[in-house]
Amino acid sequence: MGSKKFTIDDIHQIRYKNYENTKSLKPEELIEKTKCEAEESKKLIEELRKKTSKVSCH
């Protein structure tokens, strides 16, 4: 994502890269990959929430 503003072209690039990275996966592999990435995302969100709450408490 090279642009400073998030555009529809950025979304198209993300979707294309995701397709390219997953097109050869079997359904079971895709499900496992999705679950792993969801867990990683949940952890990241929690970390960001903790940082945000620490900043707002000061």
Side-chain angles (χ1 to χ4, degrees):
M1 293 176 285
S3 64
K4 291 186 179 192
K5 291 187 177 182
F6 194 71
T7 66
I8 193 76
D9 289 332
D10 295 322
I11 294 170
H12 287 274
Q13 288 176 2
I14 291 167
R15 292 183 76 191
Y16 178 76
K17 288 177 186 177
N18 187 52
Y19 169 75
E20 287 297 318
N21 290 331
T22 60
K23 67 182 179 184
S24 63
L25 296 180
K26 296 178 184 175
E28 300 82 14
E29 294 171 322
L30 182 58
I31 291 168
E32 187 60 31
K33 179 182 185 327
T34 302
K35 286 181 179 179
C36 289
E37 290 176 351
E39 282 302 314
E40 290 173 15
S41 296
K42 286 179 187 178
K43 289 177 185 175
L44 178 59
I45 289 168
E46 284 305 312
E47 288 176 18
L48 292 171
R49 283 184 177 156
K50 287 178 185 177
K51 286 180 183 179
T52 301
S53 66
K54 287 180 183 177
V55 169
S56 62
C57 290
H58 290 104

